[in-house]
Amino acid sequence: MPTFFNSWLPFLYLYIGGGIFFTAGMIIIRKSKAIDMRLKRDRFWWKVMIFGFFYFALFHAILITAALYL
Amino acid sequence: MEQALNIGTQLDWIVLVIYMMAMLLFGSYFAKYNNDTNDFFFGGRRFTWWLISMSIVATGISSHSFVKYSAMGFKYGFSSSMSYINDWFFVPFFLFGWLPIIVYSRIRSIPEYFERRFSPSARFFVTILQLLYLVGYVGIGFLTMGKAILPLMPEYLTIFGFQIQITLMGLIWVTAVIVGIYITFGGQTAVIFTDLIQGAMLLFAGLFVFFLGVAYVGGWSSFWNLLPPAWKVPFAGFNSPAEFNSVGAFWEDAIAGSVGFLFMNMGLIMRFMATKNVHEGRKAATINILFMLPISAIVVGGGGWVAKAMFEQNATIFPSNMTADQVFVFVSHILAGPGMFGFIIAAIAAALMSTVSGLLNATAAIWVNDVDKPVRIWLKKAKKDDPSDEVRAMKVARISTAAFTILGILAVYAFKSYPTVYQAHAFFHATLTPPLMIAIFFGAFWRKFTPAGLLTTVIGGISLMLLGHRYPQELIGPIAHGTPFDAAHPYTYMAALYNLIVCVVVAVVVTLSQKQLQKISNAIKRNKNNKLIMYSLIATAVAIVLFDLLVVFAKLDLLSLDFTFFLTLLMSGFVALISTHFVKYDPEAQTLGLTIWSVHKAKEWFKGSKLNEREGENVLVHFKVVDGEEDTISFSHKDMKTMEAEVGDLVYISDTRKWLGGLKSCHSVYGEPHNEDGIVYIKNLHLTKGLFVPGQLLEAEKEM
């Protein structure tokens, strides 16, 4: 039977550890003005990047929930 | 794995041979699209996102992926997909950092970036590392393909009455010749278009085996219920077993692997450079990571998942002596009929060919741009940006592609001596990736990072990494998060964390000590024995590097680990001082346009004038060929206004047939407008470059 050690702990490690790198990247591209939020296209990409992070987190969370309870 | 099992039929071999021949002809057809090295290496920078995205899929899935991930899927379940759905964390750095930097700075290879950002010596070291990395990768690609396909082959093949024995090296030579021919003549365009077919075949074959397997066990519900609960979790155990665990996969794959794949894989970088613009490159990367990689996880691991369900249903269906690595072969053989099995074999061959062809093209690009051209300029046999040198460069590109194909095969002989290909691969990858990765990452995102930091990371970092390989329990053990020590493969994954830490620490300490290093260097310069001091430092550093090599490869325990580690740190300090002393570096000029902090400057340089970022609409036009040599095309006043374009802005025109993916297209500059609405005046050079069809409508898009 799956335990916390092969379900939610790796999930938390991945998204907290990876989240630190991801957030650092988002801050650097804003601070360096590499992404120009005045442009419609760049605003779109900003949203896509945030969406992607939660898309994968949700995807993993659904798979874990299905494995544990279905 | 290295023996023929003869589980295919005559029809399977016919399908395989037809496929190989078709790829050879199809790839070579694209030779006509190669007018210069820009076309040969970057496909003329014209393609759309979906074509590149499919090409990346074909490049990302190698032949060993099917074997390796199906084995993991069979042994551990859905957690085999871990490495395919953990690549999002570095996307902001890539989409708005590395991608625009490499495109707008107009670099033609990663080593060239290092010369501009740091120094010629940095380019020299990075060129060596990149060539070793790529040739080694080509060799490993050939070897894994041979190991994956050989069991499917009969021991002998009879063609026109001649009986030919099938051997691993024989199989590798045949495949290498086919890949070598189409990449030598077809270049990047051939790679991208053959990847389109090969990528589609890979996806279809993997999904076909998975869905057939699900149907075989009685549908989705049966499949789900047959799998043990632990097989359904998408993660391996946190820190065990040693051969497959989540924390190891995080550091080795999500961090080191993702950065390595996105930022330093020259084959992949060249795919992005072949897109028509940065926006299209962003789309290709995003679609690939968001959608294609999760699908690829099913494609490569699905065979193992269904095999586990089939095994739970009826264990006798598989031979009792079947190894995990043979799972994909057996499950495909059980599920697919004659002919279809051959198609699946062809898909595995496709995986190899697309991966290796991209790598060969990248290797040739580095040879032409970073070895042949600089050496000719240095010998004064060529001038920088001399267009007449292009014909020769094309010849060199083709010859070097063929030469690197042969070198790749020769590398197979070296890798064959390792007990498993994964051991060879893991050691080779773990040693070459972290220093390059840190060099690229810090180079592009940290303005203060200096040539001394870079060179010390490469030389000192690698030495410290090698010590970690020699003394894993002492050096990697304390940071291994409790993963078990396996004497045969010590900390295969957690070695990545150690390697990253030593490279980051060396890079940061040296860069932050730059002022002190400069002071010491100045003091040495003022000393009348300055040459003697510097040559002594160089000799000592070389001696310590040689000592480290003896400790690691000859396994000599001449001194205690503490003292050996101290000596290596001392050597790193010497390298930092030597680099600071000899390398000329202008931090202002050499970071401008080459780091994320000044990427707008790079964009202006790319265009050659002030940016026009007004957002207009695309227009549809017919073309008219006019006389002239200048690289400008002219639209009507009205069309220019619709596109919000001005004279001197950059424009991209392409055939309106979207399924061509930008094959018939070209870049140019807006010339003086005219009064014929819906018509674009182009020159013969644009017709040659874009291969436009008379009467066919074109779509024009303002780039910047």
Side-chain angles (χ1 to χ4, degrees), chain B residues 259-278:
Chain B
V259 176
F261 190 64
L262 267 178
F263 289 70
M264 62 167 276
N265 185 326
M266 189 63 197
L268 191 80
I269 294 289
M270 286 168 72
R271 302 292 205 286
F272 286 112
M273 289 164 91
T275 52
K276 65 179 183 180
N277 55 38
V278 169

Side-chain angles (χ1 to χ4, degrees), chain A residues 5-6 13 45 49 53 55, chain B residues 88 233 238 251 286 290 481:
Chain A
F5 284 90
N6 65 343
Y13 195 93
W45 282 114
M49 286 186 287
F53 184 85
Y55 163 85
Chain B
W88 194 254
V233 188
F238 180 67
W251 289 105
T286 307
L290 279 181
H481 289 56

Side-chain angles (χ1 to χ4, degrees), chain A residues 2 5-6 9-10 13-14 18 21-22 25-26 29 32-34 40-41 45 49 52-53 55-56 60 67 70, chain B residues 85 88-89 92-93 96 224 232-233 235 237-238 246 250-251 255 279 282 286 289-290 481 596-597 600 615:
Chain A
F5 284 90
N6 65 343
L9 181 60
Y13 195 93
L14 178 67
F21 289 101
F22 179 76
M26 295 293 271
I29 63 170
S32 64
K33 297 190 172 72
K40 197 174 153 191
R41 224 176 221 194
W45 282 114
M49 286 186 287
F53 184 85
Y55 163 85
F56 281 112
H60 269 131
L70 284 183
Chain B
I85 41 181
W88 194 254
F89 306 120
F93 287 110
F96 284 88
W224 185 260
K232 298 174 193 167
V233 188
F235 291 107
F238 180 67
S246 295
F250 175 78
W251 289 105
I255 304 302
H279 182 63
R282 285 176 183 145
T286 307
I289 299 173
L290 279 181
H481 289 56
I596 193 171
W597 303 93
H600 271 274
E615 292 171 351

